């Protein structure tokens, strides 16, 4: 069982289910709980597998334990159960395969993450660890700076919103960020600059911004990137997709490896 075989099986699922975006979100929320600020600890350990408590029950992770993990089940049964790869490494790899399969950059994946054995290995809460879509610059910095990210990194990572969409029954927000939401490119930044958005409140009571003609949305946390000093990177990435890809890969790999030790280049 080789790495190429695992990648091929992941690609087949993505092609059949159009589930690349949720694989990205699964890895991001698994790894994104890491912090070194007022809160410490956290790492990509696939704790969301357990829904009796902990990360598998966080509101921010709605849809991941039941939908995201379920899409990966055939690969999990084939490779994790036989000890070839851990769940946490598989989630990392699936996200990276998805990004490239949707037209994004190739992302190096290192291995050696250890799976949580129970929900008790979760962090205590999503609060202060995962960002809220209805808040602005100060909140983004409070979340991302303790993870070791710069303002530029925040903008680059936000560019992952170029794919996927919000589901009202999960986050309370509703809609896709870009018109071509299954293509990983710099469309998020281009559309943010080109469109005018009006205030809207979803049926779940969440404030968001909507472009009337296309129906695409932006969250308050997205449009906060139009303020200085974030704006210079939005402008750059809208003009230069390669610059976006380069900075995204650097920040994304850091996100996926935060809190990990002894990672290796091979399975």
């Amino acid at each position: 069982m080789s790495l190429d075989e695992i990648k091929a099986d992941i690609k087949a699922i993505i092609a059949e289910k159009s589930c690349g975006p949720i694989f990205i979100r699964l890895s991001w929320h698994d790894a994104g709980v890491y912090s070194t600020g007022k809160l410490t600890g956290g790492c990509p350990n696939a704790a969301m597998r357990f829904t009796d408590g902990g990360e598998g029950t966080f509101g921010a992770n709605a849809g991941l334990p039941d939908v995201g993990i379920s899409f990966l089940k055939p690969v999990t049964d084939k490779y994790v159960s036989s000890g070839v790869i851990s769940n946490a490494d598989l989630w990392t790899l699936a996200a990276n395969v998805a990004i490239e399969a949707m037209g994004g950059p190739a992302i190096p994946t290192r291995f050696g993450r250890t799976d949580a054995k129970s929900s008790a290995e979760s962090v205590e809460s999503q609060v202060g660890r995962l960002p809220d879509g209805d808040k602005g610059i100060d909140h983004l910095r409070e979340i991302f700076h303790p993870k070791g990210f710069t303002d530029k990194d925040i903008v680059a990572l936000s560019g992952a919103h170029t794919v996927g969409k919000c589901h009202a029954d999960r986050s309370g927000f509703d809609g896709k960020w870009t018109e071509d939401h299954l293509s990983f490119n710099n469309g998020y930044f281009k559309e943010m600059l080109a469109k005018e958005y009006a205030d809207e409140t979803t049926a779940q009571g969440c404030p968001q911004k909507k472009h009337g003609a296309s129906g695409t949305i932006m969250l308050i946390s997205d449009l906060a990137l139009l303020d200085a000093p974030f704006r210079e990177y939005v402008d750059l990435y809208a003009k230069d997709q390669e610059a976006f890809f380069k900075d995204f890969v650097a920040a994304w790999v850091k996100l996926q490896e935060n809190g990990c030790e002894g990672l290796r280049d091979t399975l």
Side-chain angles (χ1 to χ4, degrees), residues 3 14 20 34 43 71 75 128 146-147 194 231:
L3 180 58
I14 293 169
Y34 171 85
C43 66
F71 280 138
V75 183
K147 303 181 194 301
R231 174 64 181 261

Side-chain angles (χ1 to χ4, degrees), residues 49-86:
R49 302 182 342 270
F50 306 103
T51 56
D52 60 325
E55 293 172 37
T57 65
F58 289 178
N61 294 338
L64 294 176
D66 50 343
V67 180
I69 295 175
S70 295
F71 280 138
L72 267 181
K73 189 176 187 303
V75 183
T76 303
D77 289 347
K78 185 174 181 180
Y79 298 104
V80 176
S81 298
S82 60
V84 174
I85 190 171
S86 67

Side-chain angles (χ1 to χ4, degrees), residues 10 14-15 59 63 94 111 120-121 125 154 162 203 212 221 254:
I10 294 170
I14 293 169
F111 304 92
E121 293 183 52
S125 171
I154 292 172
T162 198
S221 59
K254 181 180 180 67

Side-chain angles (χ1 to χ4, degrees), residues 21 102-103 160-165 176-188 191 195 214 216:
M102 291 187 289
H161 284 170
T162 198
V163 294
K165 55 187 176 181
K176 57 186 182 179
W177 287 272
T178 63
E179 294 177 37
D180 188 5
H181 74 289
L182 292 176
S183 293
F184 198 101
N185 52 37
N186 63 342
Y188 169 78
E191 294 189 33
K195 294 178 176 179
S214 66
T216 60

Side-chain angles (χ1 to χ4, degrees), residues 178-244:
T178 63
E179 294 177 37
D180 188 5
H181 74 289
L182 292 176
S183 293
F184 198 101
N185 52 37
N186 63 342
Y188 169 78
F189 302 108
K190 287 183 173 181
E191 294 189 33
M192 181 185 295
L193 292 174
K195 294 178 176 179
E196 293 185 5
Y197 297 87
D199 290 338
E200 178 182 66
T201 302
T202 68
Q204 284 69 29
C206 295
Q208 62 181 30
K209 310 287 184 174
K210 188 170 187 178
H211 180 248
S214 66
T216 60
I217 67 159
M218 289 283 165
L219 305 181
I220 292 172
S221 59
D222 294 308
L223 294 185
L225 303 181
L226 294 178
D227 294 338
F230 296 89
R231 174 64 181 261
E232 68 175 286
Y233 303 112
V234 174
D235 290 339
L236 171 63
Y237 298 153
K239 295 174 184 176
D240 189 341
Q241 180 169 279
E242 289 308 309
F244 164 49

Side-chain angles (χ1 to χ4, degrees), residues 101-150:
M102 291 187 289
I107 299 176
T109 305
R110 296 202 295 165
F111 304 92
R113 295 166 187 79
T114 302
D115 287 340
K117 295 180 176 59
S118 73
S119 61
E121 293 183 52
S122 299
V123 296
E124 73 295 326
S125 171
Q126 71 188 46
V127 177
R129 293 181 182 272
L130 297 174
D132 298 325
D134 60 354
K135 294 183 174 64
I137 286 177
D138 290 344
H139 172 71
L140 291 174
R141 284 176 167 155
E142 288 171 3
I143 295 294
F144 285 96
H145 283 187
K147 303 181 194 301
F149 294 115
T150 64

Side-chain angles (χ1 to χ4, degrees), residues 9-26 64 67-68 70-72 94-95 98-99 102 163-164 181-182:
D9 287 350
I10 294 170
K11 286 179 184 177
I13 292 172
I14 293 169
E16 178 186 355
K17 304 289 187 181
S18 297
C19 57
I22 202 168
F23 287 169
I24 297 172
R25 181 169 168 248
L26 182 63
L64 294 176
V67 180
S70 295
F71 280 138
L72 267 181
I99 288 168
M102 291 187 289
V163 294
H181 74 289
L182 292 176

